[in-house]
Amino acid sequence: MSNDAQPTVNGPTPGGYAEALGELEQILTALERSDVDVDVLADKVQRATVLIAFCRDRIGRARLQIEQVVAELGDG
Amino acid sequence: MSQPSFDFADVDNGGDGGIPTLGVGELAEAINGALRRSFADGVWVRGEIQGWSERGPHVYFRLAEETADGKASVNVQFFAPSRARLKPLLMKHRLRLADGLKVRIFGHLDFFAPSGQLGLKMSGIDPRFTLGELALQRDDVVRRLVAAGLYDRNRQRPLAVAPLNVGVVTSLASAAWADFLHEIERSGLGFALKVIDVRVQGERAVAEVTAAVRALAGDPHLDVVALVRGGGGRTELATFDHEAIATAIASSPLPVFTGLGHEIDRAVADEVAHTALKTPTACAAALVEAVQSFRAATEQAWAAIAQRGASQLAAAASDVSATAQGLRHRVLAAVERADHRLGAANAALRRAPRMLDVEVRHLDAVAERVRLLDPAVTMARGWSITRTPDGRTVRSVAQLAAGDRIITTFADGTAGSRVEETTP
């Protein structure tokens, strides 16, 4: 199953962190229903994994930027 | 006093019808004898002095009276010895005998044979009578001035703030004028004097003084009129009791100052004047003082203005510096507040990474939920998925029959098998 996840991994790149998080929430809501098809389930999990990585990446970048800006402010 | 009757009993009775004939000398003698008998102790007579005439040390005048029957007069001889004797008495009462003066005099009647004239040889005088008469006349004048509303009028005239233009009524030949002028010049102030020379005693004094006061009072260039005169007798001062002069002073539109040179008496002119001084010098001094006090007031006012100006400048300067100080404080406070806000912003900024941590935790939770849903996780625990060869997931035994081929997916691979039997 996990091998078939590749196409869904290539879903549209989210517009930003908030959009990605929104999609993640939708996926979670959908997956937590009992009648989810196993195949769909695997695809959704793959997509969710991609979105989570996206979000982590965004947070990491933001942290880096903030740290740079604060460092530039000096100790004032 | 009753008219004396002549008694000719001692005259020789040798004439017609028993009436004696006398020689003129005898008649004169008889008259004098009769007069001496009738007025043995002399006689007091009252009347007004007229035709005052000094001849050498002697004086001759008429004592006159207006009566209901017309005018009555008697000639009076006031000889040197009597004058000398009465001089201290007259001086004591500051009386100087002159025309127009009402007097009560004592004397002896004498018929002067060479001129055939009856006369009174004056040897005494009652000064109190004259003074009383003067006072009465004076009171009458004052009463009339009060009734005419003139008594206080000149006093109510405002005096110019700096009475420098002075009209002076005086006798230029007098010490009074010299004193007045000296005092004015001594002040060194810019007085401008306009002087009218008048007689201050004698018959024409009243008319001249009145005319002079009127003329100066109407001069639009003057601030004040001064009427000055040297010292003199009470009777001369009577000139200034005269109603005409008093009226001229009282009705003058300019304030009138008097300096009539008398320490004790006040003339009616003084009563109605704006300001009455005792001497010409005092009169000038009063004018000088008025100008000086104006000058002092002016200087004081300037000083006050200067002081006020300086204090207002100081106040303004202090306002400016207070404003500047206030501004400085406010600016400093504003800067401090801005600095504080900046600090707060800075602190908030430094808290930003922590906000990211919140996101990270949230994302971790989401990831955990996703992981739990992953079928791979479930299959790792021993669960498997059964599909038909065409890939459909087998959810019910009813989809299968004996002999059907099925593919089972495990966590780590697949196995193909065939169904032998089904049990619902």
Side-chain angles (χ1 to χ4, degrees):
Chain A
M1 273 294 290
S2 55
N3 294 341
D4 297 334
Q6 193 60 31
T8 37
V9 171
N10 295 330
T13 306
Y17 181 86
E19 195 181 316
L21 204 60
E23 195 183 335
L24 265 174
E25 293 292 346
Q26 279 179 350
I27 290 171
L28 279 172
T29 308
L31 294 187
E32 279 163 357
R33 289 207 307 267
S34 58
D35 59 342
V36 180
D37 186 280
V38 170
D39 297 328
V40 173
L41 182 66
D43 291 348
K44 295 281 187 191
V45 166
Q46 282 298 321
R47 175 65 180 166
T49 304
V50 169
L51 288 173
I52 286 167
F54 174 85
C55 284
R56 285 198 196 285
D57 180 55
R58 282 303 170 103
I59 288 173
R61 278 194 226 176
R63 188 184 300 280
L64 201 63
Q65 275 182 346
I66 287 168
E67 278 167 1
Q68 270 176 1
V69 168
V70 172
E72 279 167 19
L73 280 178
D75 294 331
Chain B
M1 196 174 292
S2 62
Q3 192 68 26
S5 58
F6 290 91
D7 180 4
F8 297 107
D10 60 339
V11 179
D12 180 18
N13 196 7
D16 300 337
I19 298 174
T21 300
L22 301 175
V24 177
E26 289 169 325
L27 178 61
E29 216 168 292
I31 291 169
N32 275 321
L35 289 174
R36 271 192 292 277
R37 279 194 299 280
S38 298
F39 299 101
D41 299 327
V43 61
W44 283 100
V45 194
R46 65 171 183 273
E48 185 183 305
I49 295 173
Q50 291 182 350
W52 181 272
S53 168
E54 300 191 13
R55 286 177 228 158
H58 313 302
V59 176
Y60 302 88
F61 61 91
R62 287 191 313 281
L63 197 62
E65 185 185 25
E66 295 289 339
T67 69
D69 302 329
K71 186 175 177 178
S73 73
V74 63
N75 290 322
V76 180
Q77 296 93 43
F78 190 18
F79 293 123
S82 293
R83 290 187 73 187
R85 192 165 46 75
L86 292 180
K87 196 177 174 185
L89 179 68
L90 290 169
M91 278 182 68
K92 182 184 163 196
H93 292 91
R94 302 185 314 286
L95 286 177
R96 183 187 284 183
L97 302 182
D99 281 352
L101 200 65
K102 290 206 168 67
V103 290
R104 179 170 172 258
I105 60 175
F106 179 79
H108 288 84
L109 286 165
D110 177 66
F111 185 76
F112 187 54
S115 63
Q117 286 189 328
L118 181 68
L120 183 73
K121 278 193 265 188
M122 175 176 164
S123 59
I125 186 165
D126 173 12
R128 284 194 190 84
F129 174 84
T130 301
L131 293 174
E133 277 295 312
L134 288 174
L136 279 179
Q137 281 177 14
R138 192 177 176 284
D139 289 350
D140 272 354
V141 170
V142 168
R143 209 171 295 126
R144 281 196 294 276
L145 289 168
V146 169
L150 288 170
Y151 187 73
D152 283 320
R153 190 172 291 178
N154 196 252
R155 247 187 301 287
Q156 288 159 5
R157 302 279 181 203
L159 182 63
V161 289
L164 285 167
N165 299 299
V166 187
V168 188
V169 178
T170 190
S171 168
L172 286 179
S174 68
W177 164 242
D179 291 349
F180 183 88
L181 188 61
H182 173 70
E183 190 68 17
I184 289 286
E185 285 175 343
R186 201 167 67 90
S187 74
L189 297 167
F191 279 100
L193 304 182
K194 179 177 176 182
V195 189
I196 296 184
D197 184 21
V198 294
R199 273 172 251 194
V200 291
Q201 62 188 59
E203 278 175 33
R204 295 174 59 189
V206 170
E208 286 189 12
V209 170
T210 303
V213 169
R214 289 228 165 93
L216 294 176
D219 189 327
H221 304 297
L222 296 179
D223 300 318
V224 63
V225 174
L227 176 55
V228 295
R229 184 203 74 137
R234 180 66 188 87
T235 48
E236 282 169 355
L237 190 64
T239 299
F240 295 91
D241 284 334
H242 202 282
E243 192 164 3
I245 292 177
T247 304
I249 290 171
S251 48
S252 161
L254 293 179
V256 178
F257 278 44
T258 56
L260 298 178
H262 224 293
E263 294 290 333
I264 299 157
D265 302 296
R266 265 169 81 86
V268 178
D270 291 320
E271 299 277 335
V272 298
H274 181 280
T275 304
L277 287 313
K278 285 180 176 171
T279 63
T281 301
C283 185
L287 293 171
V288 168
E289 196 191 319
V291 175
Q292 277 171 343
S293 77
F294 168 72
R295 193 171 64 176
T298 307
E299 279 165 8
Q300 218 166 10
W302 272 115
I305 288 167
Q307 199 184 356
R308 187 77 63 83
S311 74
Q312 283 187 352
L313 272 180
S318 141
D319 276 0
V320 167
S321 79
T323 304
Q325 191 73 3
L327 199 62
R328 189 173 152 266
H329 280 144
R330 259 170 271 176
V331 166
L332 287 178
V335 167
E336 204 169 322
R337 282 197 302 277
D339 197 38
H340 187 71
R341 280 199 296 274
L342 196 60
N346 202 355
L349 204 56
R350 289 174 192 282
R351 282 196 299 275
R354 266 179 271 160
M355 286 155 64
L356 290 178
D357 293 344
V358 171
E359 283 304 313
V360 168
R361 282 195 291 279
H362 180 59
L363 209 55
D364 285 347
V366 169
E368 178 59 14
R369 282 160 69 193
V370 170
R371 195 186 66 80
L372 290 174
L373 289 168
D374 192 343
V377 174
T378 312
M379 283 188 289
R381 291 191 209 128
W383 297 87
S384 62
I385 301 166
T386 302
R387 293 189 174 85
T388 57
D390 56 3
R392 287 182 293 115
T393 303
V394 179
R395 294 175 185 276
S396 167
V397 74
Q399 288 178 254
L400 299 174
D404 283 351
R405 187 177 161 72
I406 54 171
I407 298 155
T408 305
T409 302
F410 302 90
D412 54 352
T414 58
S417 53
R418 203 166 286 279
V419 177
E420 291 184 347
E421 55 185 345
T422 58
T423 309

